[in-house]
Amino acid sequence: MLLTAGATRVLVDATRDVSEQLTAVPGPTAVTLTHGHRDASGGVPKLAEHVADRPPLPVFGHPRTHRAIRGRTDQLDHVELVDVEAGRTVTIGEVDAVATEVPHDRGQRFPTFAWRFTARGTTVVYASDVAELTDELKAVSSEADVLVLDGAMYGRSLFSHLRIDEAVPVVCRWPVDQILLTQIGRTAPPHEELRRVVRALCPRAQPAYDGLHVELHDE
């Protein structure tokens, strides 16, 4: 996800496909990472293609996330890895960001963040990798304009991700204006069918898709 507020462009996670993903949009001015798995941070070395002749790109994440990245590569001159403490606000240009730990990985090697971003009176919460809904996630999502939520599984359970058919009815009772499901996996039906299923579970929810553009404005 690329969050834009004026000249500030915050990329959430740098996947192994980050080069392809950034071809159609302006390069980020900062990056926030959810966790150290390669599907979230494996593309950090490729960010070098988008910061040529510029100062190192700030990359915000958990210290153990940065440790995992350093363990995979030493080609990091193009980024500045900035350790983040859960619950503390980080100001990134026009965006205020707060990280909250959520359950995802069974061990302690890859602690996982959900991020709450606030800019120009609007709030987006990004929780792409979540094993179970928690009171902490509910609290950090409260009054968000958009909650981007783990939608990796449908009709089947996996220890590290939510099930759409179980999670959406619960989250629909949270004080959130709009719910977008991300990380749609192979257990889900085709997009249009999934969209109908999700809308039946919660009228304020829908599956996201590549290239989705959501405009949010302060009223």
Side-chain angles (χ1 to χ4, degrees):
M1 181 182 79
L2 185 68
L3 179 70
T4 301
T8 303
R9 298 181 299 277
V10 180
L11 177 67
V12 188
D13 283 342
T15 75
R16 288 168 289 190
D17 299 319
V18 69
S19 296
E20 179 181 350
Q21 293 166 342
L22 291 178
T23 55
V25 295
T29 56
V31 178
T32 61
L33 299 176
T34 56
H35 62 299
H37 287 158
R38 291 179 186 270
D39 64 346
S41 59
V44 169
K46 296 182 179 181
L47 291 171
E49 304 168 10
H50 303 276
V51 295
D53 302 321
R54 288 167 47 189
L57 184 69
V59 175
F60 299 87
H62 193 285
R64 289 185 189 151
T65 297
H66 297 157
R67 187 184 308 167
I69 294 169
R70 291 188 182 100
R72 292 195 291 258
T73 180
D74 57 2
Q75 299 177 9
L76 296 171
D77 292 343
H78 60 292
V79 297
E80 177 189 1
L81 300 180
V82 182
D83 291 345
V84 173
E85 179 182 340
R88 180 169 294 181
T89 300
V90 177
T91 299
I92 309 171
E94 296 190 38
V95 177
D96 287 336
V98 180
T100 298
E101 285 203 42
V102 292
H104 173 51
D105 186 75
R106 278 178 171 168
Q108 294 300 312
R109 184 182 176 193
F110 297 107
T112 301
F113 280 161
W115 286 91
R116 180 182 174 99
F117 303 99
T118 303
R120 300 187 173 190
T122 62
T123 297
V124 176
V125 174
Y126 189 88
S128 62
D129 292 79
V130 183
E132 62 180 285
L133 299 174
T134 63
D135 291 340
E136 291 79 9
L137 180 58
K138 179 179 180 180
V140 81
S141 301
S142 180
E143 306 301 330
D145 295 277
V146 177
L147 169 61
V148 183
L149 186 66
D150 185 323
M153 302 300 294
Y154 179 82
R156 289 170 51 191
S157 297
L158 182 65
F159 72 91
S160 54
H161 289 279
L162 297 176
R163 275 180 54 166
I164 292 172
D165 45 324
E166 293 180 348
V168 170
V170 175
V171 176
C172 196
R173 298 194 293 270
W174 293 5
V176 175
D177 287 348
Q178 184 178 1
I179 303 160
L180 296 177
L181 300 175
T182 190
Q183 290 233 64
I184 308 300
R186 295 180 180 179
T187 57
H191 180 81
E192 282 304 314
E193 180 181 348
L194 179 62
R195 185 181 63 82
R196 291 191 294 270
V197 168
V198 170
R199 281 296 177 93
L201 294 172
C202 179
R204 294 179 288 112
Q206 64 174 311
Y209 54 87
D210 290 345
L212 175 63
H213 183 210
V214 179
E215 289 195 15
L216 299 172
H217 300 283
D218 181 15
E219 297 178 357

